[in-house]
Amino acid sequence: MKRLFFLLQFAWNSMNVSAQAPPDKIYGQLFHDVQVAKIFPDGKTFVDCVPKKDPSSIVADYKKLKNNPTVRYSLKLFVEANFDFPPTFAADYRSDVNEGATAHIKNLWKVLKREADTPIKGSSLLPLPHAYIVPGGRFREIYYWDSYFTMLGLQESGEWELIESMIKNFAFLVKTYGHIPNGNRSYYLSRSQPPFFSLMISLLAEKKGDSVLLTYLPELEQEYAFWMLGATTLKPGQTSKRVAKLMDGSLLNRYWDDVAAPRQESYLEDVETAQRSKRNVTQMYRHLKAGAESGWDFSSRWFGDAKHLTTIQTTAYLPVDLNCLLYSLEMNISKGKMIKKDESSANEFRKKASLRKTAILKHCWNRNLNFFTDYNLVTGRADTVLTPAGLYPLFVQLATPDQAIRVAAKTKMYLLKNGGIITSNNNTGQQWDAPNGWAPLQWITIKGLDNYGQKDLCREIAHRWIALNEKVFKATGKMMEKYNVLDTGLEAGGGEYPSQDGFGWTNGVYLKLISLYKDGTK
């Protein structure tokens, strides 16, 4: 029986790895032509299509058409004849608004749930062995950092089995590919997202105890190795992929992408942005895709002039939120090592965490703003763009009490708006800027401030965000991906695609905040 299990696991891994070629490699010129011709309004549609027959046959048929000058053909009709279009999740789902958002969300889990995948040749989907929740709309696969915030709501719904199922999927992805990709799509394999895996395990530990850290310790260490690749050979002032060594010897991390090419799901947008920038296109693609790895795609945080996408320089920043998450990862690995009774390794990771904490406090604290910001490798100092990312040091509890007081004051003064916490005060036309607010940033801010006793401010943020969610739900019957927190009578906007409904992390944070603040317990 044990041998059979390993044979089945090996077979699954083999199918998974064999399916990892991204659409541009599978379909070549056809991929390029479809994306440039804008056959679909959303570039993500084609890369999520499923072929109706063997991809090599489709490619051969297309070459014959394209290379025969006597044949007139419709590219759109060719695609329709050879591919099944992907579904959207929860786009048409409605419930009785009079039943309330909580009932809506608990029913919606079933709509957003996907069972274990079956591998399909030519599909970009990386099949997962366990059930999972997708965000909704165009986002029809699991997403890395989204899932942590979704799990907050699954916790409130008592869906512990599904939480563990999703964690098992992330562990599977680490074991299979060496890291957790942005999402379970082949075109996402060259990048990850904010590393929340260890915090997901901490969430599960609230139910099953700290022993789960030991269960997933190998995958935690493997993820850590992914983020720290190249660190041991760096000299002061050097960078390597996702790691930078500062002149004082500090090691901090940045976002990156291992393939400097346009995002396949936003191919035409990236090509056009790179052309408009009049900069080195390879570097532009790297910055754009690193911005996608950050989850903040896109934001003035990453812009050289804090205004225009064409000045994006994501890899020039050591983000405060990323480094706080890696501090948390180091602490959790140390905790797991202690459970394993490996005291030497536990001390080693505790020391790494301590050094990172010192580096964050030194390099990401902007004394002029009295706020945490990203460290700019170009200027050699903390940046000046104030965003909720500056609440992560409070979220992981590495800020000093005095810093927390100052951050709370600035949060209230600059980030708190009618509908909750704004993403930044820069109106750039990008979705991770004004006037938008996002569920994960509400939670990070509230939890971070609560860790330092800022109860009144936490309650105020929570109540404003809950009220906005409920206002939009009553008007539309939907929970949205993002919200306009400046003018709560208008829709959120910006970015490359329309605002999506569903929506995983909004549902999760709403249920969590309702449980904490709606009944006055906080």
Side-chain angles (χ1 to χ4, degrees):
M1 180 61 72
K2 191 172 184 181
R3 176 177 172 77
L4 177 61
F5 170 79
F6 284 118
L7 285 173
L8 289 172
Q9 187 67 36
F10 176 77
W12 183 278
N13 287 346
S14 298
M15 286 188 293
N16 216 25
V17 172
S18 67
Q20 71 184 32
D24 68 331
K25 301 300 182 189
I26 295 175
Y27 299 109
Q29 188 65 45
L30 175 60
F31 163 82
H32 173 83
D33 291 351
V34 170
Q35 298 296 60
V36 169
K38 295 206 75 168
I39 297 299
F40 301 102
D42 184 349
K44 192 175 184 301
T45 304
F46 180 64
V47 294
D48 291 354
C49 284
V50 176
K52 293 181 179 180
K53 60 184 181 181
D54 190 286
S56 61
S57 297
I58 296 175
V59 171
D61 289 346
Y62 183 65
K63 282 182 179 178
K64 288 178 185 177
L65 284 175
K66 191 173 178 67
N67 294 333
N68 189 339
T70 65
V71 176
R72 296 184 66 183
Y73 67 93
S74 163
L75 181 57
K76 185 174 186 294
L77 290 178
F78 180 85
V79 172
E80 290 175 353
N82 287 280
F83 293 90
D84 288 322
F85 298 167
T88 55
F89 284 81
D92 299 319
Y93 180 79
R94 298 289 185 277
S95 61
D96 185 348
V97 295
N98 295 319
E99 293 181 2
T102 298
H104 169 81
I105 292 168
K106 290 183 177 179
N107 290 328
L108 192 55
W109 291 138
K110 302 181 188 72
V111 180
L112 296 175
K113 183 179 178 180
R114 293 187 65 155
E115 299 297 340
D117 298 309
T118 301
I120 300 174
K121 188 174 183 180
S123 170
S124 63
L125 190 71
L126 303 176
L128 296 175
H130 305 284
Y132 55 95
I133 295 289
V134 301
R138 73 195 287 267
F139 300 109
R140 50 186 75 92
E141 50 280 309
I142 202 169
Y143 280 83
Y144 183 4
W145 80 308
D146 294 56
S147 295
Y148 172 74
F149 301 96
T150 300
M151 288 177 188
L152 296 175
L154 292 172
Q155 178 188 35
E156 294 305 317
S157 300
E159 297 280 357
W160 288 103
E161 185 177 343
L162 188 50
I163 290 173
E164 188 162 17
S165 174
M166 292 168 71
I167 289 174
K168 286 179 179 178
N169 280 331
F170 288 126
F172 170 80
L173 288 169
V174 172
K175 286 185 288 188
T176 305
Y177 301 108
H179 68 286
I180 299 174
N182 186 146
N184 63 317
R185 291 282 178 182
S186 57
Y187 53 81
Y188 286 149
L189 276 172
S190 60
R191 64 179 183 263
S192 186
Q193 271 195 329
F196 273 89
F197 183 50
S198 78
L199 293 176
M200 296 177 195
I201 295 169
S202 294
L203 188 67
L204 183 60
E206 293 180 24
K207 178 71 171 180
K208 301 190 72 170
D210 287 341
S211 63
V212 295
L213 277 171
L214 189 57
T215 302
Y216 295 102
L217 186 58
E219 290 80 16
L220 289 173
E221 291 189 85
Q222 196 168 356
E223 177 172 51
Y224 186 71
F226 165 78
W227 286 98
M228 299 305 294
L229 183 65
T232 56
T233 59
L234 287 179
K235 296 178 181 178
Q238 292 184 334
T239 60
S240 176
K241 293 196 172 185
R242 293 169 175 81
V243 194
K245 192 168 191 175
L246 302 184
M247 294 306 296
D248 64 359
S250 300
L251 280 173
L252 289 172
N253 290 75
R254 64 180 178 175
Y255 291 112
W256 186 256
D257 190 289
D258 294 327
V259 178
R263 291 169 296 154
Q264 294 189 39
E265 73 280 13
S266 300
Y267 182 83
L268 185 59
E269 290 87 347
D270 283 1
V271 169
E272 292 177 342
T273 299
Q275 290 174 344
R276 286 198 312 272
S277 75
K278 297 182 171 32
R279 297 163 61 192
N280 180 290
V281 294
T282 301
Q283 292 179 2
M284 277 295 293
Y285 295 147
R286 181 89 70 191
H287 290 312
L288 288 166
K289 293 177 79 176
E293 182 170 84
S294 79
W296 292 52
D297 43 341
F298 293 105
S299 169
S300 56
R301 281 181 75 184
W302 315 129
F303 301 167
D305 65 357
K307 296 177 182 177
H308 302 102
L309 180 60
T310 50
T311 69
I312 192 170
Q313 53 178 24
T314 316
T315 68
Y317 296 99
L318 304 179
V320 61
D321 46 0
L322 170 60
N323 283 285
C324 286
L325 291 171
L326 289 171
Y327 164 81
S328 181
L329 174 56
E330 289 161 340
M331 291 295 287
N332 269 342
I333 292 176
S334 176
K335 190 174 182 179
K337 294 286 188 180
M338 285 300 293
I339 296 170
K340 193 180 178 181
K341 302 191 184 307
D342 185 352
E343 190 170 342
S344 175
S345 293
N347 290 335
E348 177 189 346
F349 274 93
R350 195 177 301 113
K351 182 179 179 181
K352 291 177 187 290
S354 178
L355 290 172
R356 189 182 296 273
K357 174 180 177 178
T358 299
I360 292 170
L361 293 176
K362 177 180 179 181
H363 296 293
C364 295
W365 178 249
N366 187 314
R367 290 177 174 80
N368 294 325
L369 291 179
N370 282 316
F371 207 81
F372 289 100
T373 61
D374 305 322
Y375 180 82
N376 188 320
L377 286 167
V378 176
T379 63
R381 58 178 180 268
D383 204 53
T384 57
V385 178
L386 193 149
T387 75
L391 275 296
Y392 273 77
L394 282 67
F395 179 69
V396 301
Q397 295 180 273
L398 63 74
T400 68
D402 180 65
Q403 286 172 327
I405 292 170
R406 295 171 187 270
V407 167
K410 287 301 174 90
T411 298
K412 187 173 184 178
M413 186 180 302
Y414 292 106
L415 297 178
L416 181 60
K417 306 299 179 183
N418 291 336
I421 295 297
I422 199 166
T423 310
S424 86
N425 282 296
N426 298 328
N427 198 327
T428 63
Q430 299 301 322
Q431 61 176 349
W432 287 85
D433 278 315
N436 295 340
W438 295 76
L441 301 183
Q442 313 304 312
W443 177 251
I444 294 296
T445 300
I446 291 167
K447 179 60 176 169
L449 292 169
D450 185 67
N451 286 339
Y452 289 83
Q454 298 287 331
K455 305 294 184 182
D456 290 342
L457 182 53
C458 291
R459 191 180 305 108
E460 185 63 32
I461 297 168
H463 286 171
R464 293 188 189 192
W465 180 255
I466 289 169
L468 176 55
N469 284 188
E470 292 180 344
K471 177 181 180 180
V472 173
F473 174 73
K474 287 176 182 176
T476 66
K478 298 179 181 182
M479 300 296 286
M480 303 302 297
E481 177 191 19
K482 54 186 179 278
Y483 292 83
N484 187 327
V485 297
L486 273 181
D487 187 335
T488 59
L490 297 178
E491 291 185 6
E496 300 169 337
Y497 57 85
S499 187
Q500 302 293 297
D501 65 320
F503 194 88
W505 61 17
T506 303
N507 302 341
V509 171
Y510 175 84
L511 290 183
K512 191 67 175 177
L513 292 179
I514 283 290
S515 73
L516 293 174
Y517 292 96
K518 193 68 171 181
D519 61 2
T521 56
K522 282 276 189 176

